[in-house]
Amino acid sequence: MNPAKPQPAASISSHPRLSAKAERFTESVIREMTRLALKHGAVNLSQGFPDFPAPAEIKHAAQEAISADINQYAITWGAKRFRDAIAEKFEHAQGMAVDPEREITVCCGSTEAMMSTMMAIINPGDEVVVFEPFYENYGPDAILSGAAPRFVKLRAPDWTFDPDDLAAAFGPATKAIILNTPNNPTGKVFERSELEAIRDLCLRWNAFAITDEIYEHMLYDGAKHTSMATIDGMRERTITINALSKTYSVTGWRVGWAIASPEVTSAIRKVHDFMTVGAAAPLQEAGAAALKFPQSYYDTLAREYALRRDRLLAILAGAGFHCFKPRGAYYIMTDIAAFGFPDDVAFAKYLVTEIGVAAVPGSSFYNDPADGRTHLRFTFCKTEKTFQAAANRLAKLPYPRR
Ligand SMILES: Cc1ncc(COP(=O)(O)O)c(C=O)c1O
């Protein structure tokens, strides 16, 4: 060995530096809670996936598609039958015609639809406005696409925002606002007047609205879902994200889509093609069948989720939680201050290990963890058996001092 010649260092710490972007966020807290629930045998009220069967019709349609050998790549931006069904359903539900040939991209879940959208529109120096608390993926989505997030608070108990806060978050660098209605984790359903206020700012600052509408059918107490794309002046600057995951109880299928103007769609399609090529072909065929379900399917879905919401509200209130009653989606945000724990993470760990119930610490929905330290989120996309088991375990929880 020639000592004068630089040698590659042998130590393990000398491996090439990892992505600085990836270093800026942690693994998903929500999905970690599911793993902890499994490890401790806890009742899992953390991650939003149903523990009841998907509709028989969608499962049969998937089985038939596989038997019929629809097992090779679909068109990269989505099987024609599925895109046609997405356009038909959007028009039926929202009264807006979209062109399945030029305005729809089918992706691997709404997760990929959001990421492909962000990568398709963001340039260095761009900012995105995000309401918080927010679905935790939006933070890493912003980092990975290179956008700087500007957060605007939704304030309890009814999760309204201050129009001045929103106006202050917009500016010449704003590329988009990310909106999620019905909202995870708060259960807020944005009113038309709120969407119009957002529209005014998007027009003023020439910004897109990216709207995640994955809980569009989970609405309670007469709440109505309005798609941002249908607000006057917003059709061309809205990207509507949705998926099969929640509406048809198939979160593991990973099929979602983005609806956008032809120009935006062609950019999304390019990113999507090189990121994933396409979503599972037979499951897109099953999706085409599901999107043709009659209105009664969606009415029953909302009615059954309202009953589940009320069941979990009663259980949590009985155990001493202060609950914020959701008007949409399938989560209950709670306030845990009265339990006297140092913070949400300490309480969530105690709940999963000592009491046997998994929930998500509120801090995972905020940019500054301190803002979520008195919150814990529970999901109610569960069966009565699961609720009963959770109720039995939560009965062991010492009732908080007021
Ligand atoms: C607001 C929101 N968007 C997107 C997703 C993920 O959706 P998908 O399974 O379609 O990727 C979730 C899952 O919990 C969610 O709550």
Side-chain angles (χ1 to χ4, degrees):
M1 188 193 286
N2 176 358
K5 204 171 161 196
Q7 296 295 316
S11 117
I12 190 98
S13 63
S14 65
H15 57 63
R17 178 146 188 241
L18 301 179
S19 153
K21 281 181 175 173
E23 278 172 0
R24 283 176 54 203
F25 54 90
T26 62
E27 69 165 311
S28 157
V29 177
I30 298 177
R31 297 180 276 279
E32 186 195 2
M33 287 312 299
T34 286
R35 290 195 296 276
L36 280 178
L38 286 170
K39 182 170 164 199
H40 295 283
V43 178
N44 189 1
L45 301 182
S46 59
Q47 197 177 355
F49 60 84
D51 65 353
F52 43 84
E57 295 83 351
I58 194 173
K59 292 188 288 191
H60 289 149
Q63 286 157 353
E64 273 172 23
I66 291 174
S67 298
D69 249 321
I70 302 181
N71 292 312
Q72 311 309 327
Y73 301 122
I75 295 173
T76 174
W77 53 78
K80 179 164 171 46
R81 238 166 64 79
F82 188 40
R83 278 181 290 115
D84 287 348
I86 292 167
E88 204 176 295
K89 177 163 182 292
F90 194 67
E91 182 164 8
H92 180 254
Q94 295 298 329
M96 174 181 284
V98 294
D99 180 356
E101 295 310 321
R102 300 190 309 143
E103 296 187 303
I104 294 174
T105 311
V106 174
C107 295
C108 298
S110 68
T111 299
E112 194 239 320
M114 179 63 78
M115 193 70 241
S116 290
T117 297
M118 297 280 282
M119 307 257 287
I121 64 167
I122 296 299
N123 289 309
D126 284 350
E127 294 180 355
V128 289
V129 178
V130 182
F131 286 109
E132 71 172 351
F134 56 88
Y135 172 54
E136 65 168 355
N137 279 31
Y138 303 153
D141 285 343
I143 292 168
L144 290 170
S145 64
R150 299 283 305 265
F151 297 100
V152 175
K153 286 259 167 9
L154 298 173
R155 294 186 193 280
D158 51 2
W159 308 103
T160 48
F161 59 87
D162 179 336
D164 292 338
D165 287 353
L166 185 64
F170 274 77
T174 307
K175 176 54 70 70
I177 180 167
I178 298 180
L179 185 72
N180 170 217
T181 183
N183 185 260
N184 171 14
T186 64
K188 175 185 174 70
V189 180
F190 281 74
E191 301 289 344
R192 176 170 283 275
S193 58
E194 294 175 310
L195 299 179
E196 286 170 351
I198 296 166
R199 181 265 322 268
D200 292 346
L201 289 164
C202 287
L203 294 181
R204 173 163 175 219
W205 296 105
N206 191 26
F208 290 110
I210 311 174
T211 102
D212 179 340
E213 303 186 356
I214 194 165
Y215 298 105
E216 64 174 328
H217 292 292
M218 284 127 201
L219 298 164
Y220 319 115
D221 308 332
K224 271 203 152 46
H225 169 65
T226 306
S227 267
M228 182 56 123
T230 66
I231 300 289
D232 253 4
M234 287 305 286
R235 191 196 190 291
E236 296 305 312
R237 56 178 69 244
T238 300
I239 297 132
T240 308
I241 309 270
N242 213 322
L244 298 180
S245 300
K246 312 288 178 174
T247 304
Y248 306 102
S249 305
V250 288
T251 59
W253 281 18
R254 317 307 307 129
V255 180
W257 57 88
I259 302 175
S261 70
E263 192 194 358
V264 177
T265 294
S266 70
I268 295 173
R269 285 179 174 184
K270 281 191 284 183
V271 176
H272 156 76
D273 188 7
F274 287 104
M275 192 140 64
T276 64
V277 177
L283 304 185
Q284 293 188 49
E285 295 302 318
L291 288 164
K292 291 185 168 48
F293 283 175
Q295 184 57 38
S296 57
Y297 173 80
Y298 305 100
D299 296 342
T300 305
L301 187 81
R303 207 171 42 245
E304 289 180 352
Y305 269 118
L307 293 174
R308 292 188 185 104
R309 174 197 67 166
D310 293 346
R311 176 77 170 110
L312 187 59
L313 278 171
I315 292 170
L316 293 174
F321 288 86
H322 177 81
C323 297
F324 301 104
K325 192 176 182 181
R327 300 187 71 225
Y330 53 42
Y331 305 96
I332 297 174
M333 211 35 165
T334 64
D335 191 292
I336 52 165
F339 287 97
F341 275 72
D343 62 29
D344 57 319
V345 174
F347 190 49
K349 284 210 170 122
Y350 167 78
L351 262 194
V352 75
T353 56
E354 305 297 321
I355 301 294
V357 174
V360 180
S363 52
S364 60
F365 305 104
Y366 286 89
N367 182 45
D368 178 354
D371 291 334
R373 57 184 286 282
T374 63
H375 292 315
L376 210 59
R377 188 202 76 175
F378 294 84
T379 184
F380 55 85
C381 50
K382 302 296 170 187
T383 55
E384 174 52 31
K385 191 167 160 227
T386 303
F387 289 138
Q388 193 52 57
N392 293 344
R393 288 168 185 219
L394 288 170
K396 292 184 288 176
L397 189 62
Y399 203 78
R401 282 186 296 274
R402 301 271 170 203

